[in-house]
Amino acid sequence: TSPLLLLMWFACSASHSAAFTCPQHSKPITALYAAKKQKKKASGGGGGFGGSKAKSTPPSVTPASADIQSLEKQWDNFASITDLEIFPPGDPEDEDYRHFIVADVFVRIGPEDKDSNPGTGWFRTGKLVAADDIDINIAFALQRGLMLWTAAAMWPQLAAKGQLAAAKLMQVGFMPPSMNMADESEPALDEEESEDVQIPQRVAIKDDVSLKNIGFRPDFNPKGFTYKRRERSAMKAKKSGLDEIMDIDD
């Protein structure tokens, strides 16, 4: 896909979030590819919007809260860290290079017990980023409540059993980053696609982790919510860069 076509799609997404630009390289993401895919446990991922699946959270580290203000902050963080890329641009040897890892985020209503089927399929919800040396699993743990809250606002299917009941059974999953983005009409993943969804691992959180170095952005604005301030700025900057290239070519 050319940058020009992406910018045109980006500019036309008035009712949704801005599109991502093409990655400048396609090296495998170590944190998402290196380990063998583990068998997904039916009971993993539940616990309510405020629940954390980390082994331990230091008192100095506060998970992202499940509200609009927190979504704005983490969305800003995502745009600032990634500049709307899904892979880090540039050369790791460059002075201004910043490493980050992006993952596609999915949410579903899980099974009520080990012998039950999931309440829903996996719904594509957004993208998450972990910058510098932060483990992608830590980024999931610290933003888990926010992602579940956002998903419930995006997908009525996830709140069909009532918000409290749904929150206790909701699960977060992920896939390696892609250019794919959902809209309100997109169905849940089918059975074959769902096989590729992984559950974040439970990991210990270091006491020096900052929410400023992780981020989350939904694929489209939840109902009643319109926010993409930094993404508009990023779009203008990228369009300006493209105009310069086109002027040079002329």
Side-chain angles (χ1 to χ4, degrees):
T1 305
S2 70
L4 179 58
L5 290 176
L6 284 169
L7 283 169
M8 291 173 63
W9 184 48
F10 190 104
C12 291
S13 301
S15 62
H16 306 303
S17 306
F20 285 99
T21 59
C22 285
Q24 296 186 16
H25 60 83
S26 55
K27 294 181 180 178
I29 299 179
T30 304
L32 299 181
Y33 286 96
K36 289 184 178 180
K37 192 189 304 181
Q38 296 186 354
K39 185 71 175 178
K40 296 178 284 292
K41 296 182 179 180
S43 60
F49 294 148
S52 172
K53 298 305 293 183
K55 289 184 178 179
S56 61
T57 303
S60 59
V61 180
T62 302
S65 55
D67 54 44
I68 290 178
Q69 291 74 26
S70 182
L71 180 57
E72 290 179 352
K73 290 179 181 178
Q74 297 312 111
W75 193 334
D76 271 354
N77 288 349
F78 186 98
S80 177
I81 292 169
T82 67
D83 196 25
L84 306 184
E85 303 279 354
I86 60 174
F87 295 104
D91 190 324
E93 300 299 322
D94 294 343
E95 290 185 5
D96 59 349
Y97 175 83
R98 187 181 190 187
H99 180 68
F100 61 79
I101 297 173
V102 173
D104 286 6
V105 177
F106 298 81
V107 175
R108 74 174 180 181
I109 301 295
E112 296 186 8
D113 55 60
K114 64 180 181 180
D115 298 320
S116 301
N117 292 322
T120 69
W122 290 104
F123 285 90
R124 183 180 291 276
T125 298
K127 296 184 189 293
L128 169 145
V129 66
D132 305 323
D133 61 348
I134 296 178
D135 189 320
I136 192 76
N137 294 289
I138 291 177
F140 271 100
L142 291 179
Q143 299 178 109
R144 180 177 173 277
L146 173 62
M147 290 185 289
L148 296 182
W149 176 83
T150 304
M154 293 171 65
W155 300 110
Q157 300 91 324
L158 297 177
K161 293 185 177 181
Q163 192 174 61
L164 183 59
K168 292 180 178 179
L169 295 173
M170 288 175 76
Q171 296 177 313
V172 174
F174 70 93
M175 287 188 192
S178 71
M179 298 292 290
N180 297 327
M181 295 174 64
D183 61 32
E184 296 97 326
S185 63
E186 184 166 325
L189 297 182
D190 60 33
E191 187 174 343
E192 183 177 356
E193 292 171 322
S194 297
E195 288 297 318
D196 293 327
V197 177
Q198 302 179 54
I199 301 294
Q201 299 176 17
R202 298 179 63 182
V203 296
I205 298 177
K206 300 178 181 179
D207 59 8
D208 60 349
V209 174
S210 171
L211 289 179
K212 294 180 180 180
N213 295 325
I214 62 177
F216 166 71
R217 49 107 56 210
D219 279 354
F220 59 86
N221 280 313
K223 186 176 181 180
F225 183 78
T226 55
Y227 189 79
K228 45 189 174 185
R229 183 179 62 204
R230 290 202 176 177
E231 294 200 351
R232 288 196 185 98
S233 298
M235 182 182 71
K236 290 178 181 178
K238 288 180 181 295
K239 189 174 187 304
S240 175
L242 179 61
D243 289 341
E244 290 180 6
I245 293 173
M246 295 177 70
D247 288 341
I248 292 174
D249 290 342
D250 293 340

